[in-house]
PDB file of all heavy atoms in Angstrom:
ATOM      1  N   ALA A 812     -20.778 -26.209 -56.716  1.00 92.00           N
ATOM      2  CA  ALA A 812     -19.556 -25.685 -57.326  1.00 92.00           C
ATOM      3  C   ALA A 812     -19.738 -24.259 -57.822  1.00 92.00           C
ATOM      4  O   ALA A 812     -18.780 -23.470 -57.814  1.00 92.00           O
ATOM      5  CB  ALA A 812     -19.114 -26.588 -58.475  1.00 92.00           C
ATOM      6  N   ALA A 813     -20.954 -23.906 -58.251  1.00 91.00           N
ATOM      7  CA  ALA A 813     -21.185 -22.556 -58.763  1.00 91.00           C
ATOM      8  C   ALA A 813     -20.876 -21.504 -57.698  1.00 91.00           C
ATOM      9  O   ALA A 813     -20.379 -20.414 -58.010  1.00 91.00           O
ATOM     10  CB  ALA A 813     -22.620 -22.410 -59.249  1.00 91.00           C
ATOM     11  N   ILE A 814     -21.154 -21.818 -56.438  1.00 93.00           N
ATOM     12  CA  ILE A 814     -20.854 -20.884 -55.350  1.00 93.00           C
ATOM     13  C   ILE A 814     -19.345 -20.695 -55.236  1.00 93.00           C
ATOM     14  O   ILE A 814     -18.841 -19.579 -55.069  1.00 93.00           O
ATOM     15  CB  ILE A 814     -21.441 -21.403 -54.024  1.00 93.00           C
ATOM     16  CG1 ILE A 814     -22.963 -21.520 -54.134  1.00 93.00           C
ATOM     17  CG2 ILE A 814     -21.050 -20.486 -52.868  1.00 93.00           C
ATOM     18  CD1 ILE A 814     -23.615 -22.172 -52.939  1.00 93.00           C
ATOM     19  N   VAL A 815     -18.615 -21.807 -55.347  1.00 94.00           N
ATOM     20  CA  VAL A 815     -17.157 -21.728 -55.277  1.00 94.00           C
ATOM     21  C   VAL A 815     -16.612 -20.901 -56.430  1.00 94.00           C
ATOM     22  O   VAL A 815     -15.695 -20.084 -56.258  1.00 94.00           O
ATOM     23  CB  VAL A 815     -16.547 -23.142 -55.285  1.00 94.00           C
ATOM     24  CG1 VAL A 815     -15.027 -23.076 -55.375  1.00 94.00           C
ATOM     25  CG2 VAL A 815     -16.973 -23.904 -54.047  1.00 94.00           C
ATOM     26  N   PHE A 816     -17.201 -21.081 -57.616  1.00 96.00           N
ATOM     27  CA  PHE A 816     -16.734 -20.312 -58.771  1.00 96.00           C
ATOM     28  C   PHE A 816     -17.030 -18.822 -58.606  1.00 96.00           C
ATOM     29  O   PHE A 816     -16.295 -17.983 -59.141  1.00 96.00           O
ATOM     30  CB  PHE A 816     -17.347 -20.847 -60.054  1.00 96.00           C
ATOM     31  CG  PHE A 816     -16.650 -22.069 -60.587  1.00 96.00           C
ATOM     32  CD1 PHE A 816     -17.227 -23.317 -60.479  1.00 96.00           C
ATOM     33  CD2 PHE A 816     -15.397 -21.965 -61.166  1.00 96.00           C
ATOM     34  CE1 PHE A 816     -16.582 -24.450 -60.957  1.00 96.00           C
ATOM     35  CE2 PHE A 816     -14.730 -23.079 -61.648  1.00 96.00           C
ATOM     36  CZ  PHE A 816     -15.327 -24.326 -61.539  1.00 96.00           C
ATOM     37  N   ALA A 817     -18.073 -18.492 -57.870  1.00 96.00           N
ATOM     38  CA  ALA A 817     -18.336 -17.077 -57.591  1.00 96.00           C
ATOM     39  C   ALA A 817     -17.209 -16.487 -56.745  1.00 96.00           C
ATOM     40  O   ALA A 817     -16.744 -15.364 -56.989  1.00 96.00           O
ATOM     41  CB  ALA A 817     -19.676 -16.924 -56.873  1.00 96.00           C
ATOM     42  N   PHE A 818     -16.742 -17.266 -55.758  1.00 96.00           N
ATOM     43  CA  PHE A 818     -15.617 -16.804 -54.941  1.00 96.00           C
ATOM     44  C   PHE A 818     -14.327 -16.759 -55.764  1.00 96.00           C
ATOM     45  O   PHE A 818     -13.501 -15.853 -55.597  1.00 96.00           O
ATOM     46  CB  PHE A 818     -15.443 -17.726 -53.727  1.00 96.00           C
ATOM     47  CG  PHE A 818     -16.428 -17.471 -52.629  1.00 96.00           C
ATOM     48  CD1 PHE A 818     -17.506 -18.319 -52.431  1.00 96.00           C
ATOM     49  CD2 PHE A 818     -16.288 -16.373 -51.787  1.00 96.00           C
ATOM     50  CE1 PHE A 818     -18.422 -18.087 -51.423  1.00 96.00           C
ATOM     51  CE2 PHE A 818     -17.201 -16.122 -50.766  1.00 96.00           C
ATOM     52  CZ  PHE A 818     -18.272 -16.983 -50.586  1.00 96.00           C
ATOM     53  N   ILE A 819     -14.152 -17.753 -56.658  1.00 96.00           N
ATOM     54  CA  ILE A 819     -12.959 -17.746 -57.515  1.00 96.00           C
ATOM     55  C   ILE A 819     -12.959 -16.511 -58.403  1.00 96.00           C
ATOM     56  O   ILE A 819     -11.927 -15.844 -58.579  1.00 96.00           O
ATOM     57  CB  ILE A 819     -12.905 -19.027 -58.369  1.00 96.00           C
ATOM     58  CG1 ILE A 819     -12.635 -20.243 -57.494  1.00 96.00           C
ATOM     59  CG2 ILE A 819     -11.823 -18.902 -59.456  1.00 96.00           C
ATOM     60  CD1 ILE A 819     -12.671 -21.558 -58.252  1.00 96.00           C
ATOM     61  N   ALA A 820     -14.131 -16.179 -58.977  1.00 96.00           N
ATOM     62  CA  ALA A 820     -14.226 -14.992 -59.837  1.00 96.00           C
ATOM     63  C   ALA A 820     -13.881 -13.737 -59.055  1.00 96.00           C
ATOM     64  O   ALA A 820     -13.132 -12.864 -59.542  1.00 96.00           O
ATOM     65  CB  ALA A 820     -15.632 -14.889 -60.431  1.00 96.00           C
ATOM     66  N   ALA A 821     -14.403 -13.640 -57.825  1.00 95.00           N
ATOM     67  CA  ALA A 821     -14.118 -12.457 -57.009  1.00 95.00           C
ATOM     68  C   ALA A 821     -12.638 -12.385 -56.653  1.00 95.00           C
ATOM     69  O   ALA A 821     -12.011 -11.319 -56.752  1.00 95.00           O
ATOM     70  CB  ALA A 821     -14.977 -12.497 -55.745  1.00 95.00           C
ATOM     71  N   GLY A 822     -12.063 -13.521 -56.232  1.00 94.00           N
ATOM     72  CA  GLY A 822     -10.657 -13.528 -55.847  1.00 94.00           C
ATOM     73  C   GLY A 822      -9.735 -13.265 -57.021  1.00 94.00           C
ATOM     74  O   GLY A 822      -8.787 -12.463 -56.923  1.00 94.00           O
ATOM     75  N   ALA A 823      -9.994 -13.934 -58.162  1.00 94.00           N
ATOM     76  CA  ALA A 823      -9.138 -13.746 -59.336  1.00 94.00           C
ATOM     77  C   ALA A 823      -9.277 -12.330 -59.880  1.00 94.00           C
ATOM     78  O   ALA A 823      -8.272 -11.708 -60.276  1.00 94.00           O
ATOM     79  CB  ALA A 823      -9.501 -14.765 -60.414  1.00 94.00           C
ATOM     80  N   GLY A 824     -10.515 -11.807 -59.901  1.00 93.00           N
ATOM     81  CA  GLY A 824     -10.715 -10.444 -60.381  1.00 93.00           C
ATOM     82  C   GLY A 824     -10.002  -9.431 -59.507  1.00 93.00           C
ATOM     83  O   GLY A 824      -9.356  -8.491 -59.998  1.00 93.00           O
ATOM     84  N   GLY A 825     -10.082  -9.613 -58.179  1.00 91.00           N
ATOM     85  CA  GLY A 825      -9.384  -8.711 -57.262  1.00 91.00           C
ATOM     86  C   GLY A 825      -7.881  -8.781 -57.429  1.00 91.00           C
ATOM     87  O   GLY A 825      -7.185  -7.762 -57.419  1.00 91.00           O
ATOM     88  N   ALA A 826      -7.353  -9.999 -57.604  1.00 90.00           N
ATOM     89  CA  ALA A 826      -5.911 -10.160 -57.795  1.00 90.00           C
ATOM     90  C   ALA A 826      -5.455  -9.510 -59.098  1.00 90.00           C
ATOM     91  O   ALA A 826      -4.364  -8.924 -59.163  1.00 90.00           O
ATOM     92  CB  ALA A 826      -5.557 -11.651 -57.789  1.00 90.00           C
ATOM     93  N   MET A 827      -6.285  -9.592 -60.139  1.00 89.00           N
ATOM     94  CA  MET A 827      -5.938  -8.947 -61.405  1.00 89.00           C
ATOM     95  C   MET A 827      -5.867  -7.430 -61.246  1.00 89.00           C
ATOM     96  O   MET A 827      -4.968  -6.778 -61.788  1.00 89.00           O
ATOM     97  CB  MET A 827      -6.969  -9.321 -62.476  1.00 89.00           C
ATOM     98  CG  MET A 827      -6.854 -10.752 -62.973  1.00 89.00           C
ATOM     99  SD  MET A 827      -8.276 -11.226 -63.973  1.00 89.00           S
ATOM    100  CE  MET A 827      -8.182 -10.019 -65.295  1.00 89.00           C
ATOM    101  N   LEU A 828      -6.811  -6.862 -60.504  1.00 87.00           N
ATOM    102  CA  LEU A 828      -6.785  -5.416 -60.286  1.00 87.00           C
ATOM    103  C   LEU A 828      -5.516  -5.003 -59.538  1.00 87.00           C
ATOM    104  O   LEU A 828      -4.904  -3.981 -59.860  1.00 87.00           O
ATOM    105  CB  LEU A 828      -8.029  -4.984 -59.515  1.00 87.00           C
ATOM    106  CG  LEU A 828      -9.337  -4.979 -60.310  1.00 87.00           C
ATOM    107  CD1 LEU A 828     -10.511  -4.662 -59.397  1.00 87.00           C
ATOM    108  CD2 LEU A 828      -9.278  -3.957 -61.449  1.00 87.00           C
ATOM    109  N   LEU A 829      -5.118  -5.802 -58.548  1.00 87.00           N
ATOM    110  CA  LEU A 829      -3.866  -5.515 -57.834  1.00 87.00           C
ATOM    111  C   LEU A 829      -2.680  -5.576 -58.796  1.00 87.00           C
ATOM    112  O   LEU A 829      -1.765  -4.746 -58.729  1.00 87.00           O
ATOM    113  CB  LEU A 829      -3.675  -6.510 -56.698  1.00 87.00           C
ATOM    114  CG  LEU A 829      -4.620  -6.377 -55.500  1.00 87.00           C
ATOM    115  CD1 LEU A 829      -4.374  -7.493 -54.502  1.00 87.00           C
ATOM    116  CD2 LEU A 829      -4.455  -5.015 -54.823  1.00 87.00           C
ATOM    117  N   TYR A 830      -2.715  -6.546 -59.693  1.00 84.00           N
ATOM    118  CA  TYR A 830      -1.645  -6.693 -60.677  1.00 84.00           C
ATOM    119  C   TYR A 830      -1.560  -5.446 -61.549  1.00 84.00           C
ATOM    120  O   TYR A 830      -0.472  -4.926 -61.819  1.00 84.00           O
ATOM    121  CB  TYR A 830      -1.910  -7.939 -61.517  1.00 84.00           C
ATOM    122  CG  TYR A 830      -0.791  -8.314 -62.451  1.00 84.00           C
ATOM    123  CD1 TYR A 830       0.197  -9.214 -62.048  1.00 84.00           C
ATOM    124  CD2 TYR A 830      -0.706  -7.790 -63.738  1.00 84.00           C
ATOM    125  CE1 TYR A 830       1.236  -9.575 -62.901  1.00 84.00           C
ATOM    126  CE2 TYR A 830       0.327  -8.140 -64.594  1.00 84.00           C
ATOM    127  CZ  TYR A 830       1.284  -9.035 -64.173  1.00 84.00           C
ATOM    128  OH  TYR A 830       2.302  -9.380 -65.012  1.00 84.00           O
ATOM    129  N   TYR A 831      -2.730  -4.957 -61.992  1.00 82.00           N
ATOM    130  CA  TYR A 831      -2.760  -3.753 -62.818  1.00 82.00           C
ATOM    131  C   TYR A 831      -2.248  -2.529 -62.060  1.00 82.00           C
ATOM    132  O   TYR A 831      -1.711  -1.588 -62.643  1.00 82.00           O
ATOM    133  CB  TYR A 831      -4.176  -3.479 -63.306  1.00 82.00           C
ATOM    134  CG  TYR A 831      -4.679  -4.473 -64.332  1.00 82.00           C
ATOM    135  CD1 TYR A 831      -6.000  -4.896 -64.320  1.00 82.00           C
ATOM    136  CD2 TYR A 831      -3.849  -4.984 -65.319  1.00 82.00           C
ATOM    137  CE1 TYR A 831      -6.482  -5.798 -65.261  1.00 82.00           C
ATOM    138  CE2 TYR A 831      -4.305  -5.883 -66.257  1.00 82.00           C
ATOM    139  CZ  TYR A 831      -5.629  -6.288 -66.226  1.00 82.00           C
ATOM    140  OH  TYR A 831      -6.091  -7.179 -67.145  1.00 82.00           O
ATOM    141  N   MET A 832      -2.436  -2.541 -60.727  1.00 81.00           N
ATOM    142  CA  MET A 832      -1.995  -1.409 -59.903  1.00 81.00           C
ATOM    143  C   MET A 832      -0.504  -1.485 -59.582  1.00 81.00           C
ATOM    144  O   MET A 832       0.028  -0.634 -58.880  1.00 81.00           O
ATOM    145  CB  MET A 832      -2.811  -1.377 -58.606  1.00 81.00           C
ATOM    146  CG  MET A 832      -4.286  -1.051 -58.822  1.00 81.00           C
ATOM    147  SD  MET A 832      -5.301  -1.385 -57.348  1.00 81.00           S
ATOM    148  CE  MET A 832      -4.546  -0.277 -56.168  1.00 81.00           C
ATOM    149  N   GLY A 833       0.180  -2.508 -60.094  1.00 80.00           N
ATOM    150  CA  GLY A 833       1.610  -2.625 -59.896  1.00 80.00           C
ATOM    151  C   GLY A 833       2.010  -3.578 -58.799  1.00 80.00           C
ATOM    152  O   GLY A 833       3.211  -3.763 -58.536  1.00 80.00           O
ATOM    153  N   ILE A 834       1.030  -4.187 -58.122  1.00 81.00           N
ATOM    154  CA  ILE A 834       1.320  -5.169 -57.075  1.00 81.00           C
ATOM    155  C   ILE A 834       1.330  -6.535 -57.737  1.00 81.00           C
ATOM    156  O   ILE A 834       0.287  -7.101 -58.048  1.00 81.00           O
ATOM    157  CB  ILE A 834       0.270  -5.107 -55.953  1.00 81.00           C
ATOM    158  CG1 ILE A 834       0.200  -3.693 -55.383  1.00 81.00           C
ATOM    159  CG2 ILE A 834       0.577  -6.122 -54.858  1.00 81.00           C
ATOM    160  CD1 ILE A 834      -0.923  -3.477 -54.389  1.00 81.00           C
ATOM    161  N   LYS A 835       2.525  -7.060 -57.983  1.00 76.00           N
ATOM    162  CA  LYS A 835       2.663  -8.258 -58.810  1.00 76.00           C
ATOM    163  C   LYS A 835       3.422  -9.359 -58.073  1.00 76.00           C
ATOM    164  O   LYS A 835       4.599  -9.622 -58.354  1.00 76.00           O
ATOM    165  CB  LYS A 835       3.388  -7.918 -60.117  1.00 76.00           C
ATOM    166  CG  LYS A 835       2.694  -6.834 -60.931  1.00 76.00           C
ATOM    167  CD  LYS A 835       3.488  -6.503 -62.183  1.00 76.00           C
ATOM    168  CE  LYS A 835       2.810  -5.434 -63.003  1.00 76.00           C
ATOM    169  NZ  LYS A 835       3.562  -5.107 -64.241  1.00 76.00           N
ATOM    170  N   PRO A 836       2.775 -10.004 -57.119  1.00 73.00           N
ATOM    171  CA  PRO A 836       3.458 -11.120 -56.441  1.00 73.00           C
ATOM    172  C   PRO A 836       3.659 -12.289 -57.405  1.00 73.00           C
ATOM    173  O   PRO A 836       2.800 -12.591 -58.231  1.00 73.00           O
ATOM    174  CB  PRO A 836       2.474 -11.493 -55.318  1.00 73.00           C
ATOM    175  CG  PRO A 836       1.139 -11.036 -55.809  1.00 73.00           C
ATOM    176  CD  PRO A 836       1.407  -9.800 -56.622  1.00 73.00           C
ATOM    177  N   MET A 837       4.819 -12.917 -57.304  1.00 71.00           N
ATOM    178  CA  MET A 837       5.118 -14.073 -58.142  1.00 71.00           C
ATOM    179  C   MET A 837       5.557 -15.227 -57.242  1.00 71.00           C
ATOM    180  O   MET A 837       6.748 -15.433 -57.001  1.00 71.00           O
ATOM    181  CB  MET A 837       6.203 -13.744 -59.171  1.00 71.00           C
ATOM    182  CG  MET A 837       5.750 -12.773 -60.235  1.00 71.00           C
ATOM    183  SD  MET A 837       6.910 -12.661 -61.615  1.00 71.00           S
ATOM    184  CE  MET A 837       6.066 -11.457 -62.666  1.00 71.00           C
ATOM    185  N   PRO A 838       4.595 -15.973 -56.709  1.00 71.00           N
ATOM    186  CA  PRO A 838       4.949 -17.076 -55.814  1.00 71.00           C
ATOM    187  C   PRO A 838       5.818 -18.108 -56.516  1.00 71.00           C
ATOM    188  O   PRO A 838       5.531 -18.524 -57.640  1.00 71.00           O
ATOM    189  CB  PRO A 838       3.579 -17.665 -55.436  1.00 71.00           C
ATOM    190  CG  PRO A 838       2.637 -17.196 -56.507  1.00 71.00           C
ATOM    191  CD  PRO A 838       3.158 -15.875 -56.947  1.00 71.00           C
ATOM    192  N   LEU A 839       6.902 -18.496 -55.841  1.00 60.00           N
ATOM    193  CA  LEU A 839       7.848 -19.473 -56.378  1.00 60.00           C
ATOM    194  C   LEU A 839       8.447 -19.021 -57.717  1.00 60.00           C
ATOM    195  O   LEU A 839       8.896 -19.838 -58.519  1.00 60.00           O
ATOM    196  CB  LEU A 839       7.176 -20.839 -56.550  1.00 60.00           C
ATOM    197  CG  LEU A 839       6.548 -21.443 -55.287  1.00 60.00           C
ATOM    198  CD1 LEU A 839       5.853 -22.757 -55.615  1.00 60.00           C
ATOM    199  CD2 LEU A 839       7.615 -21.650 -54.216  1.00 60.00           C
ATOM    200  N   GLY A 840       8.436 -17.716 -57.968  1.00 64.00           N
ATOM    201  CA  GLY A 840       8.981 -17.196 -59.213  1.00 64.00           C
ATOM    202  C   GLY A 840       8.091 -17.401 -60.419  1.00 64.00           C
ATOM    203  O   GLY A 840       8.528 -17.185 -61.555  1.00 64.00           O
ATOM    204  N   LEU A 841       6.838 -17.792 -60.196  1.00 73.00           N
ATOM    205  CA  LEU A 841       5.911 -18.051 -61.300  1.00 73.00           C
ATOM    206  C   LEU A 841       5.026 -16.844 -61.543  1.00 73.00           C
ATOM    207  O   LEU A 841       4.685 -16.103 -60.615  1.00 73.00           O
ATOM    208  CB  LEU A 841       5.046 -19.275 -60.990  1.00 73.00           C
ATOM    209  CG  LEU A 841       5.795 -20.585 -60.725  1.00 73.00           C
ATOM    210  CD1 LEU A 841       4.813 -21.687 -60.379  1.00 73.00           C
ATOM    211  CD2 LEU A 841       6.636 -20.975 -61.934  1.00 73.00           C
ATOM    212  N   ASN A 842       4.636 -16.640 -62.801  1.00 78.00           N
ATOM    213  CA  ASN A 842       3.750 -15.541 -63.161  1.00 78.00           C
ATOM    214  C   ASN A 842       2.307 -16.058 -63.204  1.00 78.00           C
ATOM    215  O   ASN A 842       1.957 -16.816 -64.104  1.00 78.00           O
ATOM    216  CB  ASN A 842       4.141 -14.972 -64.520  1.00 78.00           C
ATOM    217  CG  ASN A 842       3.233 -13.831 -64.947  1.00 78.00           C
ATOM    218  OD1 ASN A 842       2.432 -13.339 -64.161  1.00 78.00           O
ATOM    219  ND2 ASN A 842       3.353 -13.409 -66.193  1.00 78.00           N
ATOM    220  N   PRO A 843       1.454 -15.669 -62.244  1.00 84.00           N
ATOM    221  CA  PRO A 843       0.098 -16.219 -62.184  1.00 84.00           C
ATOM    222  C   PRO A 843      -0.932 -15.416 -62.966  1.00 84.00           C
ATOM    223  O   PRO A 843      -2.104 -15.807 -63.017  1.00 84.00           O
ATOM    224  CB  PRO A 843      -0.226 -16.144 -60.687  1.00 84.00           C
ATOM    225  CG  PRO A 843       0.464 -14.879 -60.251  1.00 84.00           C
ATOM    226  CD  PRO A 843       1.729 -14.783 -61.101  1.00 84.00           C
ATOM    227  N   TYR A 844      -0.518 -14.299 -63.597  1.00 87.00           N
ATOM    228  CA  TYR A 844      -1.511 -13.368 -64.136  1.00 87.00           C
ATOM    229  C   TYR A 844      -2.442 -14.022 -65.156  1.00 87.00           C
ATOM    230  O   TYR A 844      -3.663 -13.890 -65.083  1.00 87.00           O
ATOM    231  CB  TYR A 844      -0.833 -12.153 -64.767  1.00 87.00           C
ATOM    232  CG  TYR A 844      -1.781 -11.358 -65.626  1.00 87.00           C
ATOM    233  CD1 TYR A 844      -2.811 -10.620 -65.054  1.00 87.00           C
ATOM    234  CD2 TYR A 844      -1.684 -11.381 -67.016  1.00 87.00           C
ATOM    235  CE1 TYR A 844      -3.706  -9.911 -65.844  1.00 87.00           C
ATOM    236  CE2 TYR A 844      -2.575 -10.684 -67.804  1.00 87.00           C
ATOM    237  CZ  TYR A 844      -3.580  -9.947 -67.216  1.00 87.00           C
ATOM    238  OH  TYR A 844      -4.482  -9.273 -67.991  1.00 87.00           O
ATOM    239  N   ASN A 845      -1.898 -14.713 -66.151  1.00 90.00           N
ATOM    240  CA  ASN A 845      -2.745 -15.269 -67.202  1.00 90.00           C
ATOM    241  C   ASN A 845      -3.680 -16.352 -66.672  1.00 90.00           C
ATOM    242  O   ASN A 845      -4.819 -16.490 -67.137  1.00 90.00           O
ATOM    243  CB  ASN A 845      -1.890 -15.819 -68.340  1.00 90.00           C
ATOM    244  CG  ASN A 845      -1.266 -14.722 -69.171  1.00 90.00           C
ATOM    245  OD1 ASN A 845      -1.835 -13.642 -69.321  1.00 90.00           O
ATOM    246  ND2 ASN A 845      -0.073 -14.967 -69.695  1.00 90.00           N
ATOM    247  N   LEU A 846      -3.212 -17.132 -65.695  1.00 92.00           N
ATOM    248  CA  LEU A 846      -4.092 -18.120 -65.067  1.00 92.00           C
ATOM    249  C   LEU A 846      -5.231 -17.422 -64.337  1.00 92.00           C
ATOM    250  O   LEU A 846      -6.382 -17.859 -64.400  1.00 92.00           O
ATOM    251  CB  LEU A 846      -3.298 -19.009 -64.115  1.00 92.00           C
ATOM    252  CG  LEU A 846      -4.112 -20.092 -63.388  1.00 92.00           C
ATOM    253  CD1 LEU A 846      -4.754 -21.053 -64.385  1.00 92.00           C
ATOM    254  CD2 LEU A 846      -3.233 -20.858 -62.400  1.00 92.00           C
ATOM    255  N   LEU A 847      -4.918 -16.336 -63.635  1.00 93.00           N
ATOM    256  CA  LEU A 847      -5.965 -15.573 -62.947  1.00 93.00           C
ATOM    257  C   LEU A 847      -6.972 -15.014 -63.946  1.00 93.00           C
ATOM    258  O   LEU A 847      -8.185 -15.038 -63.709  1.00 93.00           O
ATOM    259  CB  LEU A 847      -5.337 -14.435 -62.142  1.00 93.00           C
ATOM    260  CG  LEU A 847      -4.517 -14.831 -60.916  1.00 93.00           C
ATOM    261  CD1 LEU A 847      -3.783 -13.613 -60.361  1.00 93.00           C
ATOM    262  CD2 LEU A 847      -5.412 -15.438 -59.849  1.00 93.00           C
ATOM    263  N   ARG A 848      -6.473 -14.521 -65.051  1.00 94.00           N
ATOM    264  CA  ARG A 848      -7.355 -13.979 -66.093  1.00 94.00           C
ATOM    265  C   ARG A 848      -8.306 -15.055 -66.608  1.00 94.00           C
ATOM    266  O   ARG A 848      -9.505 -14.805 -66.786  1.00 94.00           O
ATOM    267  CB  ARG A 848      -6.506 -13.426 -67.232  1.00 94.00           C
ATOM    268  CG  ARG A 848      -7.292 -12.837 -68.386  1.00 94.00           C
ATOM    269  CD  ARG A 848      -6.345 -12.295 -69.451  1.00 94.00           C
ATOM    270  NE  ARG A 848      -7.068 -11.854 -70.638  1.00 94.00           N
ATOM    271  CZ  ARG A 848      -6.486 -11.393 -71.738  1.00 94.00           C
ATOM    272  NH1 ARG A 848      -5.162 -11.318 -71.795  1.00 94.00           N
ATOM    273  NH2 ARG A 848      -7.209 -11.019 -72.788  1.00 94.00           N
ATOM    274  N   CYS A 849      -7.773 -16.257 -66.825  1.00 96.00           N
ATOM    275  CA  CYS A 849      -8.611 -17.356 -67.300  1.00 96.00           C
ATOM    276  C   CYS A 849      -9.605 -17.784 -66.234  1.00 96.00           C
ATOM    277  O   CYS A 849     -10.797 -17.977 -66.512  1.00 96.00           O
ATOM    278  CB  CYS A 849      -7.736 -18.531 -67.715  1.00 96.00           C
ATOM    279  SG  CYS A 849      -8.661 -19.928 -68.385  1.00 96.00           S
ATOM    280  N   LEU A 850      -9.152 -17.943 -64.985  1.00 97.00           N
ATOM    281  CA  LEU A 850     -10.046 -18.355 -63.906  1.00 97.00           C
ATOM    282  C   LEU A 850     -11.194 -17.371 -63.719  1.00 97.00           C
ATOM    283  O   LEU A 850     -12.338 -17.766 -63.486  1.00 97.00           O
ATOM    284  CB  LEU A 850      -9.249 -18.490 -62.610  1.00 97.00           C
ATOM    285  CG  LEU A 850      -8.398 -19.748 -62.447  1.00 97.00           C
ATOM    286  CD1 LEU A 850      -7.483 -19.612 -61.234  1.00 97.00           C
ATOM    287  CD2 LEU A 850      -9.288 -20.982 -62.308  1.00 97.00           C
TER     288      LEU A 850
END
């Protein structure tokens, strides 16, 4: 699982950077930012 969490950290961190750059996808109208921050 630790390997998977390494990929989760990379993916969530990258998505957060995109969010900060103004790219803010909201699938199904939901705001995923805080979940990404926690993950």
Side-chain angles (χ1 to χ4, degrees):
I814 299 173
V815 173
F816 279 106
F818 282 104
I819 291 176
M827 287 169 60
L828 286 175
L829 290 176
Y830 188 92
Y831 290 142
M832 293 167 61
I834 304 173
K835 302 178 180 181
M837 291 192 180
L839 303 177
L841 302 178
N842 179 10
Y844 166 70
N845 287 329
L846 180 61
L847 291 171
R848 180 179 174 183
C849 182
L850 282 170

